Structures are given as C-alpha cells and as structure tokens.
Amino acid sequence: MIYQIYPRSFADADGDGIGDLPGITSRIGYLKDLGVDAVWVSPFYVSPQADAGYDVADYRDVDPVFGTLQDADAFIQAAHGAGIKVLVDLVPNHTSDEHEWFKAALAAAPGSPERDRYMFRDGRGENGEQPPTQWRSVFGGGAWERVLEADGSPGQWYLHLFDVKQPDLNWENPVVREEFHDILRFWLDRGVDGFRVDVAHGLVKAEGLPEWDHEQGMLHGKDKDERPPMWDQDGVHEIYQGWRKLLDAYDGDRMMVAEAWVEDADRLALYLRPDEFHQAFNFNYLEAPWRAEDQRAVIEASLASADEVDAPTTWVLSNHDVIRHATRLALPVGVRRPNGIGADHPQPDAELGVRRARAATLLMLALPGSAYLFQGEELGLPEHTTLPDGVRQDPTFLRTGGEHLGRDGCRIPLPWLSQGGSLGFGPFDLTWLPQPDSYAALAADAQLGVPGSTLEMYRAALRLRRQHDLGTGHVEWVEAPSPDALVLRVGGVLVLTNFGNDPVPLPAGALVLLCSRELVASGGDESRPSVPVDTTVWMNA
Ligand code: GLC
C-alpha cells in the first residue's frame, strides 16, 4: 500500500500556503494509523515550480518552499520510525531550464559538450527558422523552442516534450547517465527506499528523430498504430538495467516503480523484467470504465501480464495528473476523460461519484499486488470542478490557451479540520489553490472515528487487507448473481461489486466484513440483505 504525497498540498507547517516537508513529518502518525506501508513523495527538489516541481533545477537539494535537506532527513527518519518506507520522485527525462547544465548549454556554442547533454538541433528552412520536427508538447503547442545564441542571433532549437521550461536531456550521452547514477546514490545514501520514475517511457528518442505530426497526450501518447518516436523506445531498458544493478548493490529492500504510459500490456511488461523495475503503474486500470465486463477484463489482463514477468500487479485510481476518481467515476462511460473540469462544464453528480469511488476502492483494495493511493482519496475528496481560471497554475492550461483546463483540480490543499480558513492545511488562511466548499465536511477530523465515513472505510480495508494477506493472494472468480456484478475470492475474503442498476442478493450465508455502502433490506427478509447499486462488499468466504 503506497500512499502518494503531493507535497505542495499535503500539509503546510510554515504558513506560506504551500505544503512542506515539516508538514508531512507532522502527519506521519495519520499515515501510520491509516495503515500504509510506504509513501511516494512527488518532487521537493530545487525548482522554479514551472510544473509544480517536475522541473528540477538541482536534484541534490530541497527547494526552500518545501524546507531543507535536514527537513528531508528528518522526514525520512520519522517515516522509518513509524515503519513506513519512503520513495522519492526522480525526474530523468528533463531538467528545469534553470538547471546549471542548461544555463551552461545556452552559454556554449552549437556542437559543444554542454549542448550535447540536451537535445539541441538546427532548425529547418533557409535560416533555420522552422523547428527540426513537428513534434508536439504533451502540454500543448510545439515541442521545440529556438534559443538566442551568445551573440544575440536566433540559433538552434531544443526539445521539450513538456513545458518550454523543461528541456529534454540527451540520454545517449554517457555524462547524463553517470549523473543520474550519482543522483540515485545521493538519495539512497540518505536512506530512501526507492524511486518513482517520472516519464520512464520517454528518455530515449528514436534515432534521427523521425517526423511525428500527431496530437500528444500525457495519457494518450498514441493516437496512431505505430509507436511514437518519443515514447517507449527499446533503448530505455538498458538504462533501467543499470539502475537496478545500482539499487541491488544497496542493503535493505530498495525498489523503483515506473511511470510509463504504455498501453500495450506486453510492452509494459518489458519494464518489469527481473533486472529492471520492480513495479509499474497500471494506468489501464485507472482508465477502465465503470462496467462489470470492463473491470473484469482489465483485472484479468493486469494479473496475467504481471504474472508473465513474475512482478506484482499494481492498481491505481487517482494521482496528481488525473481527475480524482470520486469525480471521474460520475462522468459518462465511453467519453474520453477530460483534462480538467471547469465551472462552464456540466458538473458531475458528486453523490454518484463518491458512491462509485468507494465501491471501486474497496474492489481495488481486495486485489493482490500493490495499490497506490493518492492523498485525500481516503477522505473521498472530489475534484475541484469550479476553479476560477485566474488561479490555475498547470502549464497545460496556459499552453493550450485554456482549451485544456489541466490538473489543478486534483491538487487542492487537503482539509485536515472542518473549521478555519485553510481547513487546517496550514496555520493561517493561505492555500496556493482555493479549497471548494465541499471540503469542510470531508475534513479528516470530521471523519475520524465516524462509522461509515470514507476515512474509516479505508482504515478498515487496509487493516483487513493486512490481516487476510490480500496483497499476496490469488484471485478466483466466482459466479455472479447478475451479469452486472462481479464476485471474486481472494484468500479468505469474498468480494462482490454491483455495477448494475438494481440491487443484487448477498450470497447465502455470507458474513459481511466491510461494505462501501449500507446494504438494503430485501423483500422483508432482514437476514438476507441486498447489495445496492455501485457497492462493494467484503465477506467471509
Ligand atoms: C509526469 C508527472 C507530471 C509531470 C510530467 C512531466 O507525468 O506525473 O505531473 O507534469 O511527468 O514531468
């Protein structure tokens, strides 16, 4: 059970409206009581924050916004003291344009070793005025930016698959490879238990940078049958084999998990070979529609492909890049998930969303493998769907001229208390993004110890998961009472999810352990209740 902390929005100790490492350290007790095994912390390194820290200017230091290196050490120590492992986020595809290397590259001449650490190319056209290719940035617009040479004349172009402030590194250059080995060691030596590797499918680009004039998307890199020249190239694997050797040489149990948006299960499995990543996020699961047949298909396919390479399956429903599942699951099935929801959009049904989210979570938490939780989902937090455009900070919003609203709505500062200006996020009223009105009633203090609350459901599920060893169990499918329901057995737990429009009967003789929603009386027979729609129930099998 790995819990993702998005440091900007978790807890703010110093009151500047942005979360920080001391804030995280102060909440370790909460995480321990929740029952997580590990945390993954999104980037807290020195960064101009052009992409909320995924634009790193110094990989070996902490941004003053988040604290100091000593604060990082204190946090790692406190987490370990509570029996929680720590994964940090590694961003190897690109640096910030404010990284020393990039500044040196700009100051140096075309063809210099400084430029060769990035992807500089001459432009096309008579005077090099056209970009080298038509590649698009994931955040909108073109993926190339022209620089001014030292003499002030328009010069070469550099590649940025993300924001213009995130120049892509050249992974063909051994200096880049060595540097990252060193960065890995820096954090391993500080005691971290592993890494979440950002854009792990992007580091190596196809030779010669072949043309690719198609829309790009964080989650939909592929809108054609061929593999895009910037994603999932075979050359990435030897990089990870090198990292794996490095990790394995350390004591203890160090791991790395890939953020690789690779749809093809067999291609994704390559990242999980025994000499590469330990785990990879299962984005196909996150994307699967809320329908019994789709959910069964994705669960079966995920288990099968992980088995092939003998890696644990992973499960994820929310993170800092997608619409929170308590909102997403209320969107119409079959429609492509929007990148952000705004006040002008149809507003998803909040009650339906949270009901499905709780059912989805309880199904997920029964499945063997590792589940990744995103901070605040344990409170049933919805997406902020009415953020004013003026406060949006995601570069996607700016680079698409507002066509894509972006990811700010899932990154709202957490409500710890139901009272007070920032709902307990920090000591004062400040929050870097405004919290929606609905967050007060969902604050942690309003749910703690309250039977039936989402927080108590998560805590109970994690406790039972541990007790019954569900994480290492096997899935056995059981005949369902309706085509719109799924029933499966993992270890000693029988799980039923009802995706349909009508209640289904609870299996005869079942002893209920936990349910995502109160069961209903069926036909006057109180002893044999029904499982209402959008509900998951765990039973003693
Ligand atoms: C990853 C991160 C995302 C970031 C992007 C560029 O997908 O999860 O937040 O914007 O990489 O680093």
Side-chain angles (χ1 to χ4, degrees):
M1 297 308 314
I2 296 145
Y3 181 97
Q4 179 189 358
I5 295 179
Y6 193 68
R8 294 179 74 80
S9 302
F10 189 68
D12 174 18
D14 66 6
D16 63 354
I18 304 179
D20 43 43
L21 289 165
I24 301 174
T25 306
S26 73
R27 300 287 180 184
I28 297 277
Y30 171 86
L31 297 170
K32 185 179 162 70
D33 292 346
L34 180 59
V36 303
D37 300 312
V39 289
W40 142 38
V41 192
S42 283
F44 48 75
Y45 318 108
V46 176
S47 160
Q49 306 287 322
D51 184 22
Y54 282 94
D55 49 319
V56 181
D58 182 352
Y59 291 84
R60 296 182 186 78
D61 205 352
V62 172
D63 196 281
V65 154
F66 299 121
T68 61
L69 260 186
Q70 286 66 44
D71 292 330
D73 291 340
F75 153 63
I76 296 167
Q77 219 187 345
H80 285 168
I84 296 173
K85 297 200 187 250
V86 176
L87 310 181
V88 292
D89 211 312
L90 189 75
V91 188
N93 181 66
H94 42 264
T95 70
S96 160
D97 66 339
E98 296 181 34
H99 190 284
E100 285 309 319
W101 274 12
F102 195 72
K103 291 194 222 161
L106 288 185
S112 59
E114 287 82 358
R115 288 238 167 143
D116 192 48
R117 295 186 292 215
Y118 292 92
M119 304 288 289
F120 278 89
R121 294 289 185 279
D122 293 331
R124 290 177 303 178
E126 218 171 297
N127 302 306
E129 71 282 3
Q130 281 166 33
T133 67
Q134 297 299 319
W135 291 15
R136 319 264 177 90
S137 147
V138 174
F139 293 160
W144 294 94
E145 181 74 5
R146 196 170 193 190
V147 303
L148 292 179
E149 299 300 349
D151 63 2
S153 64
Q156 285 195 301
W157 298 72
Y158 70 85
L159 178 71
H160 60 91
L161 290 181
F162 293 88
D163 191 61
V164 64
K165 285 181 70 61
Q166 293 168 299
D168 279 54
L169 285 163
N170 172 18
W171 276 88
E172 306 296 346
N173 185 334
V175 175
V176 172
R177 296 190 181 214
E178 268 163 44
E179 172 72 356
F180 273 84
H181 277 206
D182 205 63
I183 294 166
L184 288 171
R185 281 194 216 99
F186 179 87
W187 288 102
L188 289 166
D189 290 342
R190 294 199 103 81
V192 306
D193 303 285
F195 302 90
R196 175 265 186 189
V197 178
D198 191 63
V199 196
H201 59 315
L203 275 47
V204 171
K205 282 76 182 175
E207 210 183 319
L209 309 185
E211 190 51 284
W212 182 261
D213 188 8
H214 298 282
E215 207 198 319
Q216 200 58 276
M218 174 96 80
L219 326 182
H220 303 276
K222 191 167 91 170
D223 61 358
K224 283 195 49 167
D225 287 342
E226 306 146 56
R227 190 147 3 104
M230 65 291 282
W231 304 130
D232 190 30
Q233 300 298 307
D234 292 336
V236 295
H237 294 290
E238 79 176 27
I239 298 172
Y240 301 129
Q241 287 156 4
W243 294 9
R244 178 61 181 262
K245 277 203 192 95
L246 194 153
L247 257 70
D248 284 350
Y250 272 79
D251 58 344
D253 197 8
R254 319 273 180 142
M255 69 86 83
M256 48 182 194
V257 52
E259 184 217 22
W261 292 94
V262 175
E263 270 173 49
D264 180 336
D266 294 333
R267 295 286 309 176
L268 186 62
L270 297 178
Y271 292 77
L272 295 167
R273 287 174 289 190
D275 59 347
E276 293 194 35
F277 282 94
H278 299 76
Q279 300 188 344
F281 296 128
N282 184 352
F283 293 124
N284 289 340
Y285 181 68
L286 183 150
E287 298 279 15
W290 184 247
R291 264 192 314 230
E293 78 243 42
D294 294 286
Q295 293 284 321
R296 177 164 180 162
V298 74
I299 293 169
E300 282 181 332
S302 307
L303 293 168
S305 64
D307 273 357
E308 259 173 50
V309 278
D310 204 18
T313 326
T314 67
W315 313 101
V316 59
L317 288 166
S318 281
N319 65 32
H320 66 295
D321 290 328
V322 301
I323 295 185
R324 283 184 174 275
H325 69 287
T327 298
R328 191 178 71 236
L329 291 173
L331 295 171
V333 164
V335 176
R336 185 166 160 170
R337 173 171 50 75
N339 187 349
I341 299 175
D344 298 342
H345 296 181
Q347 294 295 302
D349 177 340
E351 202 238 326
L352 175 68
V354 77
R355 191 164 84 211
R356 289 188 175 165
R358 287 172 55 124
T361 296
L362 220 48
L363 174 57
M364 172 175 86
L365 294 182
L367 299 172
S370 278
Y372 286 80
L373 307 178
F374 178 47
Q375 66 179 39
E377 67 167 85
E378 76 278 17
L379 304 175
L381 294 186
E383 184 86 357
H384 194 323
T385 55
T386 56
L387 270 179
D389 286 350
V391 304
R392 292 191 186 276
Q393 308 214 5
D394 185 346
T396 312
F397 177 71
L398 302 170
R399 289 188 61 85
T400 61
E403 190 195 329
H404 292 292
L405 296 177
R407 302 159 293 171
D408 294 308
C410 65
R411 301 174 172 180
I412 304 298
L414 290 194
W416 292 95
L417 305 172
S418 32
Q419 306 280 324
S422 63
L423 301 177
F425 172 65
F428 312 123
D429 291 357
L430 282 180
T431 55
W432 70 281
L433 286 172
Q435 296 159 315
D437 294 343
S438 60
Y439 274 30
L442 296 171
D445 73 332
Q447 298 198 40
L448 206 60
V450 175
S453 71
T454 303
L455 180 56
E456 290 302 332
M457 183 195 85
Y458 270 76
R459 284 162 46 118
L462 295 187
R463 207 164 43 235
L464 287 166
R465 182 179 168 89
R466 208 179 281 247
Q467 253 169 37
H468 290 267
D469 263 336
L470 300 183
T472 54
H474 286 279
V475 169
E476 190 192 319
W477 295 96
V478 176
E479 202 190 327
S482 127
D484 291 330
L486 291 182
V487 184
L488 51 89
R489 186 180 289 116
V490 184
V493 177
L494 190 68
V495 181
L496 184 157
T497 302
N498 182 6
F499 298 86
N501 296 316
D502 300 301
V504 296
L506 197 70
L511 187 70
V512 174
L513 298 170
L514 187 61
C515 41
S516 68
R517 191 180 174 201
E518 243 178 90
L519 303 185
V520 290
S522 55
D525 181 358
E526 289 295 330
S527 63
R528 178 96 183 272
S530 300
V531 182
V533 296
D534 296 328
T535 304
T536 297
V537 51
W538 288 11
M539 297 152 281
N540 246 334

